[in-house]
């Protein structure tokens, strides 16, 4: 498959905005090219449009080349950009699983791209053939979320590979929760599959949801297209600095992940002892999808106690389900205490 044949013609032909920092290469001393304010505030200069320092660090961490990395204002920016690169509004469509992360459908709707949904099984599993069958000649992209939100499970890696190998278009694997999973990332397969885009984020395991930094990993050709379409200075200086610092202390992140996994186990065992709980779905993420016997009064009760969890009872196969993010040890014990009080 030639990826370039899948790109919208207007994007292929696009002459991107060329910023002052794009046009000057080399070492300057006096910068009078970008209409910045010359007075030092620490932030008076535009940021590096391609975040090269940051990408070098991420490249070494993920064992890819910097030219296989795109950085966005959250993964949400990457989701929107790839849709705009490949999907012709009013004509093309995407295939997603149901239930899955809500942004794929929202981004598609904003871009006037139709969405075809494939129901997951009752245990939130999927098959490649089910997904591939849904695709038609106008399907440009398939989105796979693994571990899946809101169910928490990783999807079968063999089935995912079959989708990548057999789908005649772009496959996006959203790995926002991969650091909590035992499954290895599909980043290892990047060189094998030119139609693959992997999304990861600093919002979950890295504890940096506030800085808004999402990563896309793909073939250099696709990364080039993303760079061409993105706003010139999409990652601000503050974000770049914070994330560089975080990358300097990977041990801290590892510890945080291991604490969250331990707390996840605590929640699972404490919840299993409650008679109001009907089922806890297996989780490879930092949250649990829990089926209660009757979820609505519990959701309301917790809200009144100012404990906020996510009502997922209306999503496909989510009857009576609530989604709980793993919190601090204290928060988790407060949640369990409240549920025990409710049940007695
Ligand atoms: C939280 C989450 C993200 C992260 O989005 P950001 O914009 O990077 O914060 C992406 N995908 C899924 C499935 C998520 O649950």
């Amino acid at each position: 498959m030639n990826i370039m044949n899948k790109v919208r013609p207007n994007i292929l032909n696009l002459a991107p905005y060329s910023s002052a920092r794009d046009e000057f290469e080399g070492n300057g001393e006096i910068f009078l090219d970008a209409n910045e304010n010359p007075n030092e505030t620490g932030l008076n200069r535009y940021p590096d449009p391609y975040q090269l320092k940051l990408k070098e660090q991420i490249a070494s961490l993920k064992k890819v080349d910097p030219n296989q990395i795109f950085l966005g204002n959250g993964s949400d920016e990457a989701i929107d950009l790839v849709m705009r690169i490949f999907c012709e509004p009013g004509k093309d469509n995407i295939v997603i699983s149901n239930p899955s992360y809500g942004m794929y459908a929202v981004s598609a709707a904003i871009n006037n791209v139709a969405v075809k949904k494939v129901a997951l099984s009752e245990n939130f599993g999927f098959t490649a053939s089910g997904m591939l069958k849904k695709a038609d000649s106008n399907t440009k992209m398939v989105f796979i979320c693994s571990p899946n939100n809101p169910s928490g499970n990783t999807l079968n890696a063999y089935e995912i590979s079959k989708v990548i190998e057999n789908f005649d278009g772009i496959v996006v694997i959203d790995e926002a929760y991969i650091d909590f999973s035992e499954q290895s990332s599909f980043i290892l397969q990047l060189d094998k599959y030119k139609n693959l885009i992997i999304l990861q984020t600093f919002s979950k395991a890295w504890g940096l949801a506030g800085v808004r930094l999402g990563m896309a990993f793909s073939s250099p050709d696709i990364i080039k297209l993303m760079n061409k379409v993105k706003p010139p200075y999409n990652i601000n200086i503050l974000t770049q600095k914070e994330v560089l610092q975080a990358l300097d202390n990977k041990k801290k992140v590892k510890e945080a992940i291991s604490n969250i996994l331990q707390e996840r186990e605590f929640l699972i065992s404490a919840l299993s002892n409650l008679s109001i709980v009907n089922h806890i779905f297996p989780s490879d993420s930092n949250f649990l999808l829990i089926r209660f016997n009757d979820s609505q009064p519990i959701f309301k009760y917790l809200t009144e106690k100012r404990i906020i969890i996510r009502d997922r009872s209306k999503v496909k196969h989510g009857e009576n389900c609530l989604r709980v993010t793993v919190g601090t040890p204290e928060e988790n014990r407060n949640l369990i205490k409240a549920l025990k009080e409710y049940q007695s």
Side-chain angles (χ1 to χ4, degrees), residues 287-311:
F287 59 85
L288 293 171
L289 188 70
I290 305 153
R291 173 164 290 138
F292 291 86
N293 296 324
D294 187 9
S295 64
Q296 285 320 289
I298 295 171
F299 182 72
K300 197 164 155 272
Y301 171 83
L302 289 175
T303 306
E304 280 160 9
K305 297 218 117 192
R306 314 218 310 173
I307 299 175
I308 312 305
I309 62 175
R310 196 89 193 264
D311 183 3

PDB file of all heavy atoms in Angstrom, residues 287-311:
ATOM      1  N   PHE A 287      -7.646   2.312  35.735  1.00  0.00           N
ATOM      2  CA  PHE A 287      -9.051   2.455  36.145  1.00  0.00           C
ATOM      3  C   PHE A 287      -9.726   1.099  36.094  1.00  0.00           C
ATOM      4  O   PHE A 287      -9.192   0.134  35.519  1.00  0.00           O
ATOM      5  CB  PHE A 287      -9.785   3.467  35.247  1.00  0.00           C
ATOM      6  CG  PHE A 287      -9.790   3.108  33.789  1.00  0.00           C
ATOM      7  CD1 PHE A 287     -10.744   2.245  33.266  1.00  0.00           C
ATOM      8  CD2 PHE A 287      -8.819   3.610  32.931  1.00  0.00           C
ATOM      9  CE1 PHE A 287     -10.744   1.905  31.920  1.00  0.00           C
ATOM     10  CE2 PHE A 287      -8.814   3.269  31.577  1.00  0.00           C
ATOM     11  CZ  PHE A 287      -9.783   2.419  31.083  1.00  0.00           C
ATOM     12  N   LEU A 288     -10.879   1.032  36.734  1.00  0.00           N
ATOM     13  CA  LEU A 288     -11.647  -0.213  36.748  1.00  0.00           C
ATOM     14  C   LEU A 288     -13.059   0.066  36.262  1.00  0.00           C
ATOM     15  O   LEU A 288     -13.675   1.060  36.666  1.00  0.00           O
ATOM     16  CB  LEU A 288     -11.730  -0.774  38.171  1.00  0.00           C
ATOM     17  CG  LEU A 288     -10.430  -1.281  38.799  1.00  0.00           C
ATOM     18  CD1 LEU A 288     -10.651  -1.599  40.276  1.00  0.00           C
ATOM     19  CD2 LEU A 288      -9.915  -2.519  38.056  1.00  0.00           C
ATOM     20  N   LEU A 289     -13.554  -0.797  35.413  1.00  0.00           N
ATOM     21  CA  LEU A 289     -14.969  -0.749  35.056  1.00  0.00           C
ATOM     22  C   LEU A 289     -15.676  -1.780  35.931  1.00  0.00           C
ATOM     23  O   LEU A 289     -15.300  -2.955  35.941  1.00  0.00           O
ATOM     24  CB  LEU A 289     -15.162  -1.075  33.575  1.00  0.00           C
ATOM     25  CG  LEU A 289     -16.596  -0.851  33.076  1.00  0.00           C
ATOM     26  CD1 LEU A 289     -16.922   0.643  33.020  1.00  0.00           C
ATOM     27  CD2 LEU A 289     -16.809  -1.485  31.702  1.00  0.00           C
ATOM     28  N   ILE A 290     -16.652  -1.290  36.679  1.00  0.00           N
ATOM     29  CA  ILE A 290     -17.299  -2.135  37.683  1.00  0.00           C
ATOM     30  C   ILE A 290     -18.789  -2.226  37.389  1.00  0.00           C
ATOM     31  O   ILE A 290     -19.453  -1.191  37.212  1.00  0.00           O
ATOM     32  CB  ILE A 290     -17.111  -1.527  39.097  1.00  0.00           C
ATOM     33  CG1 ILE A 290     -15.619  -1.311  39.365  1.00  0.00           C
ATOM     34  CG2 ILE A 290     -17.732  -2.421  40.164  1.00  0.00           C
ATOM     35  CD1 ILE A 290     -15.355  -0.197  40.345  1.00  0.00           C
ATOM     36  N   ARG A 291     -19.295  -3.452  37.327  1.00  0.00           N
ATOM     37  CA  ARG A 291     -20.747  -3.615  37.170  1.00  0.00           C
ATOM     38  C   ARG A 291     -21.363  -3.813  38.553  1.00  0.00           C
ATOM     39  O   ARG A 291     -20.962  -4.710  39.305  1.00  0.00           O
ATOM     40  CB  ARG A 291     -21.077  -4.787  36.258  1.00  0.00           C
ATOM     41  CG  ARG A 291     -22.588  -5.083  36.213  1.00  0.00           C
ATOM     42  CD  ARG A 291     -22.992  -5.962  35.051  1.00  0.00           C
ATOM     43  NE  ARG A 291     -22.858  -5.223  33.798  1.00  0.00           N
ATOM     44  CZ  ARG A 291     -22.355  -5.724  32.675  1.00  0.00           C
ATOM     45  NH1 ARG A 291     -21.921  -6.965  32.649  1.00  0.00           N
ATOM     46  NH2 ARG A 291     -22.271  -4.979  31.580  1.00  0.00           N
ATOM     47  N   PHE A 292     -22.293  -2.944  38.887  1.00  0.00           N
ATOM     48  CA  PHE A 292     -23.018  -3.068  40.149  1.00  0.00           C
ATOM     49  C   PHE A 292     -24.358  -3.740  39.877  1.00  0.00           C
ATOM     50  O   PHE A 292     -24.794  -3.836  38.725  1.00  0.00           O
ATOM     51  CB  PHE A 292     -23.235  -1.678  40.765  1.00  0.00           C
ATOM     52  CG  PHE A 292     -21.950  -1.037  41.246  1.00  0.00           C
ATOM     53  CD1 PHE A 292     -21.151  -0.299  40.379  1.00  0.00           C
ATOM     54  CD2 PHE A 292     -21.534  -1.191  42.568  1.00  0.00           C
ATOM     55  CE1 PHE A 292     -19.960   0.277  40.819  1.00  0.00           C
ATOM     56  CE2 PHE A 292     -20.341  -0.611  43.013  1.00  0.00           C
ATOM     57  CZ  PHE A 292     -19.559   0.119  42.133  1.00  0.00           C
ATOM     58  N   ASN A 293     -24.999  -4.181  40.933  1.00  0.00           N
ATOM     59  CA  ASN A 293     -26.342  -4.742  40.741  1.00  0.00           C
ATOM     60  C   ASN A 293     -27.317  -3.644  40.328  1.00  0.00           C
ATOM     61  O   ASN A 293     -28.187  -3.858  39.496  1.00  0.00           O
ATOM     62  CB  ASN A 293     -26.810  -5.428  42.022  1.00  0.00           C
ATOM     63  CG  ASN A 293     -25.919  -6.624  42.335  1.00  0.00           C
ATOM     64  OD1 ASN A 293     -25.460  -7.323  41.424  1.00  0.00           O
ATOM     65  ND2 ASN A 293     -25.644  -6.851  43.608  1.00  0.00           N
ATOM     66  N   ASP A 294     -27.099  -2.454  40.899  1.00  0.00           N
ATOM     67  CA  ASP A 294     -27.932  -1.308  40.537  1.00  0.00           C
ATOM     68  C   ASP A 294     -27.063  -0.054  40.655  1.00  0.00           C
ATOM     69  O   ASP A 294     -26.833   0.453  41.751  1.00  0.00           O
ATOM     70  CB  ASP A 294     -29.143  -1.237  41.486  1.00  0.00           C
ATOM     71  CG  ASP A 294     -30.128  -0.168  41.039  1.00  0.00           C
ATOM     72  OD1 ASP A 294     -29.951   0.377  39.925  1.00  0.00           O
ATOM     73  OD2 ASP A 294     -31.058   0.125  41.807  1.00  0.00           O
ATOM     74  N   SER A 295     -26.553   0.436  39.531  1.00  0.00           N
ATOM     75  CA  SER A 295     -25.503   1.460  39.581  1.00  0.00           C
ATOM     76  C   SER A 295     -26.008   2.864  39.886  1.00  0.00           C
ATOM     77  O   SER A 295     -25.300   3.656  40.521  1.00  0.00           O
ATOM     78  CB  SER A 295     -24.732   1.478  38.261  1.00  0.00           C
ATOM     79  OG  SER A 295     -25.585   1.871  37.203  1.00  0.00           O
ATOM     80  N   GLN A 296     -27.240   3.186  39.465  1.00  0.00           N
ATOM     81  CA  GLN A 296     -27.644   4.602  39.541  1.00  0.00           C
ATOM     82  C   GLN A 296     -27.709   5.156  40.966  1.00  0.00           C
ATOM     83  O   GLN A 296     -27.174   6.239  41.227  1.00  0.00           O
ATOM     84  CB  GLN A 296     -28.959   4.833  38.781  1.00  0.00           C
ATOM     85  CG  GLN A 296     -28.770   4.840  37.264  1.00  0.00           C
ATOM     86  CD  GLN A 296     -27.498   5.558  36.791  1.00  0.00           C
ATOM     87  OE1 GLN A 296     -27.403   6.770  36.869  1.00  0.00           O
ATOM     88  NE2 GLN A 296     -26.499   4.797  36.323  1.00  0.00           N
ATOM     89  N   PRO A 297     -28.338   4.439  41.913  1.00  0.00           N
ATOM     90  CA  PRO A 297     -28.356   4.980  43.279  1.00  0.00           C
ATOM     91  C   PRO A 297     -26.949   5.094  43.879  1.00  0.00           C
ATOM     92  O   PRO A 297     -26.687   6.010  44.660  1.00  0.00           O
ATOM     93  CB  PRO A 297     -29.182   3.948  44.064  1.00  0.00           C
ATOM     94  CG  PRO A 297     -29.784   3.030  43.078  1.00  0.00           C
ATOM     95  CD  PRO A 297     -29.105   3.201  41.771  1.00  0.00           C
ATOM     96  N   ILE A 298     -26.056   4.216  43.476  1.00  0.00           N
ATOM     97  CA  ILE A 298     -24.685   4.261  44.004  1.00  0.00           C
ATOM     98  C   ILE A 298     -23.947   5.477  43.452  1.00  0.00           C
ATOM     99  O   ILE A 298     -23.269   6.207  44.179  1.00  0.00           O
ATOM    100  CB  ILE A 298     -23.939   2.954  43.656  1.00  0.00           C
ATOM    101  CG1 ILE A 298     -24.614   1.788  44.374  1.00  0.00           C
ATOM    102  CG2 ILE A 298     -22.465   3.045  44.023  1.00  0.00           C
ATOM    103  CD1 ILE A 298     -24.118   0.425  43.965  1.00  0.00           C
ATOM    104  N   PHE A 299     -24.146   5.695  42.175  1.00  0.00           N
ATOM    105  CA  PHE A 299     -23.510   6.864  41.542  1.00  0.00           C
ATOM    106  C   PHE A 299     -23.974   8.147  42.224  1.00  0.00           C
ATOM    107  O   PHE A 299     -23.170   9.028  42.552  1.00  0.00           O
ATOM    108  CB  PHE A 299     -23.850   6.893  40.049  1.00  0.00           C
ATOM    109  CG  PHE A 299     -23.201   8.023  39.303  1.00  0.00           C
ATOM    110  CD1 PHE A 299     -21.836   8.006  39.057  1.00  0.00           C
ATOM    111  CD2 PHE A 299     -23.944   9.105  38.858  1.00  0.00           C
ATOM    112  CE1 PHE A 299     -21.217   9.058  38.376  1.00  0.00           C
ATOM    113  CE2 PHE A 299     -23.330  10.160  38.176  1.00  0.00           C
ATOM    114  CZ  PHE A 299     -21.967  10.121  37.942  1.00  0.00           C
ATOM    115  N   LYS A 300     -25.289   8.197  42.485  1.00  0.00           N
ATOM    116  CA  LYS A 300     -25.876   9.387  43.114  1.00  0.00           C
ATOM    117  C   LYS A 300     -25.371   9.542  44.552  1.00  0.00           C
ATOM    118  O   LYS A 300     -24.988  10.639  44.979  1.00  0.00           O
ATOM    119  CB  LYS A 300     -27.416   9.232  43.093  1.00  0.00           C
ATOM    120  CG  LYS A 300     -28.160  10.509  43.325  1.00  0.00           C
ATOM    121  CD  LYS A 300     -29.632  10.382  42.910  1.00  0.00           C
ATOM    122  CE  LYS A 300     -30.476  11.387  43.676  1.00  0.00           C
ATOM    123  NZ  LYS A 300     -30.969  10.882  44.970  1.00  0.00           N
ATOM    124  N   TYR A 301     -25.339   8.431  45.263  1.00  0.00           N
ATOM    125  CA  TYR A 301     -24.868   8.430  46.650  1.00  0.00           C
ATOM    126  C   TYR A 301     -23.423   8.936  46.738  1.00  0.00           C
ATOM    127  O   TYR A 301     -23.079   9.790  47.559  1.00  0.00           O
ATOM    128  CB  TYR A 301     -24.989   7.013  47.212  1.00  0.00           C
ATOM    129  CG  TYR A 301     -24.336   6.796  48.557  1.00  0.00           C
ATOM    130  CD1 TYR A 301     -24.999   7.132  49.743  1.00  0.00           C
ATOM    131  CD2 TYR A 301     -23.063   6.227  48.656  1.00  0.00           C
ATOM    132  CE1 TYR A 301     -24.390   6.920  50.971  1.00  0.00           C
ATOM    133  CE2 TYR A 301     -22.453   6.010  49.875  1.00  0.00           C
ATOM    134  CZ  TYR A 301     -23.124   6.357  51.033  1.00  0.00           C
ATOM    135  OH  TYR A 301     -22.524   6.147  52.250  1.00  0.00           O
ATOM    136  N   LEU A 302     -22.565   8.423  45.859  1.00  0.00           N
ATOM    137  CA  LEU A 302     -21.157   8.836  45.888  1.00  0.00           C
ATOM    138  C   LEU A 302     -21.028  10.319  45.544  1.00  0.00           C
ATOM    139  O   LEU A 302     -20.238  11.042  46.147  1.00  0.00           O
ATOM    140  CB  LEU A 302     -20.327   7.978  44.920  1.00  0.00           C
ATOM    141  CG  LEU A 302     -20.101   6.527  45.336  1.00  0.00           C
ATOM    142  CD1 LEU A 302     -19.367   5.763  44.237  1.00  0.00           C
ATOM    143  CD2 LEU A 302     -19.314   6.430  46.648  1.00  0.00           C
ATOM    144  N   THR A 303     -21.814  10.768  44.566  1.00  0.00           N
ATOM    145  CA  THR A 303     -21.762  12.185  44.185  1.00  0.00           C
ATOM    146  C   THR A 303     -22.137  13.063  45.372  1.00  0.00           C
ATOM    147  O   THR A 303     -21.498  14.088  45.623  1.00  0.00           O
ATOM    148  CB  THR A 303     -22.715  12.455  43.003  1.00  0.00           C
ATOM    149  OG1 THR A 303     -22.396  11.540  41.963  1.00  0.00           O
ATOM    150  CG2 THR A 303     -22.551  13.876  42.481  1.00  0.00           C
ATOM    151  N   GLU A 304     -23.164  12.632  46.111  1.00  0.00           N
ATOM    152  CA  GLU A 304     -23.572  13.401  47.295  1.00  0.00           C
ATOM    153  C   GLU A 304     -22.461  13.424  48.334  1.00  0.00           C
ATOM    154  O   GLU A 304     -22.290  14.400  49.056  1.00  0.00           O
ATOM    155  CB  GLU A 304     -24.861  12.816  47.899  1.00  0.00           C
ATOM    156  CG  GLU A 304     -26.102  13.276  47.146  1.00  0.00           C
ATOM    157  CD  GLU A 304     -27.315  12.375  47.364  1.00  0.00           C
ATOM    158  OE1 GLU A 304     -27.247  11.476  48.239  1.00  0.00           O
ATOM    159  OE2 GLU A 304     -28.303  12.552  46.630  1.00  0.00           O
ATOM    160  N   LYS A 305     -21.683  12.346  48.382  1.00  0.00           N
ATOM    161  CA  LYS A 305     -20.524  12.307  49.295  1.00  0.00           C
ATOM    162  C   LYS A 305     -19.309  12.991  48.676  1.00  0.00           C
ATOM    163  O   LYS A 305     -18.206  12.895  49.196  1.00  0.00           O
ATOM    164  CB  LYS A 305     -20.176  10.847  49.622  1.00  0.00           C
ATOM    165  CG  LYS A 305     -21.266  10.102  50.357  1.00  0.00           C
ATOM    166  CD  LYS A 305     -20.684   9.174  51.390  1.00  0.00           C
ATOM    167  CE  LYS A 305     -21.131   9.612  52.754  1.00  0.00           C
ATOM    168  NZ  LYS A 305     -20.457   9.003  53.865  1.00  0.00           N
ATOM    169  N   ARG A 306     -19.538  13.624  47.551  1.00  0.00           N
ATOM    170  CA  ARG A 306     -18.498  14.348  46.797  1.00  0.00           C
ATOM    171  C   ARG A 306     -17.363  13.438  46.331  1.00  0.00           C
ATOM    172  O   ARG A 306     -16.222  13.852  46.176  1.00  0.00           O
ATOM    173  CB  ARG A 306     -17.965  15.526  47.618  1.00  0.00           C
ATOM    174  CG  ARG A 306     -19.130  16.320  48.251  1.00  0.00           C
ATOM    175  CD  ARG A 306     -18.936  17.777  48.269  1.00  0.00           C
ATOM    176  NE  ARG A 306     -17.645  18.194  48.820  1.00  0.00           N
ATOM    177  CZ  ARG A 306     -17.217  19.447  48.802  1.00  0.00           C
ATOM    178  NH1 ARG A 306     -17.960  20.382  48.270  1.00  0.00           N
ATOM    179  NH2 ARG A 306     -16.053  19.766  49.316  1.00  0.00           N
ATOM    180  N   ILE A 307     -17.704  12.177  46.068  1.00  0.00           N
ATOM    181  CA  ILE A 307     -16.764  11.252  45.425  1.00  0.00           C
ATOM    182  C   ILE A 307     -17.243  11.086  43.988  1.00  0.00           C
ATOM    183  O   ILE A 307     -18.331  10.558  43.740  1.00  0.00           O
ATOM    184  CB  ILE A 307     -16.722   9.882  46.139  1.00  0.00           C
ATOM    185  CG1 ILE A 307     -16.248  10.072  47.586  1.00  0.00           C
ATOM    186  CG2 ILE A 307     -15.817   8.913  45.388  1.00  0.00           C
ATOM    187  CD1 ILE A 307     -16.270   8.802  48.423  1.00  0.00           C
ATOM    188  N   ILE A 308     -16.435  11.572  43.049  1.00  0.00           N
ATOM    189  CA  ILE A 308     -16.884  11.638  41.660  1.00  0.00           C
ATOM    190  C   ILE A 308     -16.264  10.488  40.870  1.00  0.00           C
ATOM    191  O   ILE A 308     -15.037  10.387  40.763  1.00  0.00           O
ATOM    192  CB  ILE A 308     -16.482  12.981  41.008  1.00  0.00           C
ATOM    193  CG1 ILE A 308     -16.850  14.165  41.920  1.00  0.00           C
ATOM    194  CG2 ILE A 308     -17.116  13.116  39.628  1.00  0.00           C
ATOM    195  CD1 ILE A 308     -18.295  14.226  42.345  1.00  0.00           C
ATOM    196  N   ILE A 309     -17.103   9.633  40.331  1.00  0.00           N
ATOM    197  CA  ILE A 309     -16.626   8.592  39.429  1.00  0.00           C
ATOM    198  C   ILE A 309     -17.413   8.738  38.123  1.00  0.00           C
ATOM    199  O   ILE A 309     -18.247   9.624  37.995  1.00  0.00           O
ATOM    200  CB  ILE A 309     -16.754   7.176  40.045  1.00  0.00           C
ATOM    201  CG1 ILE A 309     -18.213   6.833  40.318  1.00  0.00           C
ATOM    202  CG2 ILE A 309     -15.943   7.088  41.338  1.00  0.00           C
ATOM    203  CD1 ILE A 309     -18.391   5.413  40.813  1.00  0.00           C
ATOM    204  N   ARG A 310     -17.162   7.888  37.148  1.00  0.00           N
ATOM    205  CA  ARG A 310     -17.756   8.106  35.831  1.00  0.00           C
ATOM    206  C   ARG A 310     -18.871   7.106  35.575  1.00  0.00           C
ATOM    207  O   ARG A 310     -18.677   5.890  35.698  1.00  0.00           O
ATOM    208  CB  ARG A 310     -16.656   7.956  34.762  1.00  0.00           C
ATOM    209  CG  ARG A 310     -17.010   8.515  33.412  1.00  0.00           C
ATOM    210  CD  ARG A 310     -16.628   9.970  33.308  1.00  0.00           C
ATOM    211  NE  ARG A 310     -17.227  10.613  32.134  1.00  0.00           N
ATOM    212  CZ  ARG A 310     -16.600  10.773  30.968  1.00  0.00           C
ATOM    213  NH1 ARG A 310     -15.381  10.358  30.815  1.00  0.00           N
ATOM    214  NH2 ARG A 310     -17.229  11.373  29.967  1.00  0.00           N
ATOM    215  N   ASP A 311     -20.020   7.617  35.239  1.00  0.00           N
ATOM    216  CA  ASP A 311     -21.164   6.778  34.899  1.00  0.00           C
ATOM    217  C   ASP A 311     -20.991   6.248  33.477  1.00  0.00           C
ATOM    218  O   ASP A 311     -21.009   7.010  32.517  1.00  0.00           O
ATOM    219  CB  ASP A 311     -22.443   7.622  34.999  1.00  0.00           C
ATOM    220  CG  ASP A 311     -23.689   6.793  34.727  1.00  0.00           C
ATOM    221  OD1 ASP A 311     -23.565   5.574  34.515  1.00  0.00           O
ATOM    222  OD2 ASP A 311     -24.789   7.386  34.721  1.00  0.00           O
TER     223      ASP A 311
END
